[in-house]
Amino acid sequence: MSSNVVTLEAFTALPDHARLLGLDLGTKTIGLALSDVERQIATPLETIKRVKFTQDAAALLQIAAKHGVVGLVVGLPLNMDGTEGPRVQSTRAFVRHLVPLTPLPILFWDERMSTLAVTRTLLDADASRAKRAAVVDKMAAAYILQGALDRLARIESAAAEDADPDQP
């Protein structure tokens, strides 16, 4: 792909006190979620209605700039058995076209079950069908981003323990 499509470990070198943006790329919408500056909590942000790539990318990058984002976490919709289908191919194509437009590091994150988990949560909360439709994409983006944030925290915690073995 490109040098700014990176592994999670590369995200440990990002500047402190800066946000990450999570993306749930759908065919009709792009759900967005934003981390806090400590990169602990992902919050649903908004949903971009897809028009065409140029406009979608411009809207996405404008939002990233507005919030001081230092990295993008893009949900990768793998099949349940881990194989890549047409949705993965379209997600990779979107990122391949986005790469020349931004220096931001981009991380693919396995998003299997994210929409299902969010939909189940919304059903449990007795949200109406219209309400679910309005929020499911940005909530799925938050679910994706939270997974990456949690894993990042575990990596950083393990690195801190390795650096200082005397810590309790």
Side-chain angles (χ1 to χ4, degrees), residues 23-162:
L23 285 74
D24 179 41
L25 287 173
T27 53
K28 297 178 182 166
T29 60
I30 302 172
L32 300 177
L34 194 62
S35 75
D36 62 325
V37 295
E38 297 298 325
R39 296 198 280 266
Q40 301 292 310
I41 300 168
T43 304
L45 182 62
E46 64 181 90
T47 302
I48 297 173
K49 188 153 181 55
R50 303 268 318 247
V51 184
K52 61 181 187 181
F53 174 78
T54 310
Q55 291 168 271
D56 300 345
L60 169 66
L61 295 175
Q62 182 179 11
I63 291 165
K66 173 183 168 187
H67 292 284
V69 167
V70 296
L72 304 176
V73 178
V74 179
L76 196 62
L78 297 168
N79 293 325
M80 291 310 291
D81 64 1
T83 59
E84 296 190 5
R87 288 195 53 231
V88 169
Q89 292 168 1
S90 73
T91 298
R92 289 191 188 279
F94 182 93
V95 169
R96 192 169 42 253
H97 290 96
L98 185 63
V99 161
L101 305 177
T102 181
L104 292 173
I106 301 170
L107 170 70
F108 285 117
W109 191 256
D110 182 352
E111 71 163 58
R112 280 179 280 187
M113 306 296 285
S114 61
T115 302
L116 183 64
V118 166
T119 301
R120 189 168 290 141
T121 300
L122 290 168
L123 285 169
D124 290 347
D126 210 22
S128 69
R129 183 181 301 270
K131 176 71 172 165
R132 288 194 310 268
V135 301
V136 72
D137 295 318
K138 63 185 176 183
M139 287 187 67
Y143 186 92
I144 291 162
L145 181 56
Q146 190 65 55
L149 293 173
D150 291 349
R151 182 74 183 105
L152 193 57
R154 286 194 300 275
I155 289 170
E156 291 173 342
S157 175
E161 286 177 20
D162 289 347

Side-chain angles (χ1 to χ4, degrees), residues 161 164-168:
E161 286 177 20
D164 188 359
D166 295 333
Q167 281 296 98

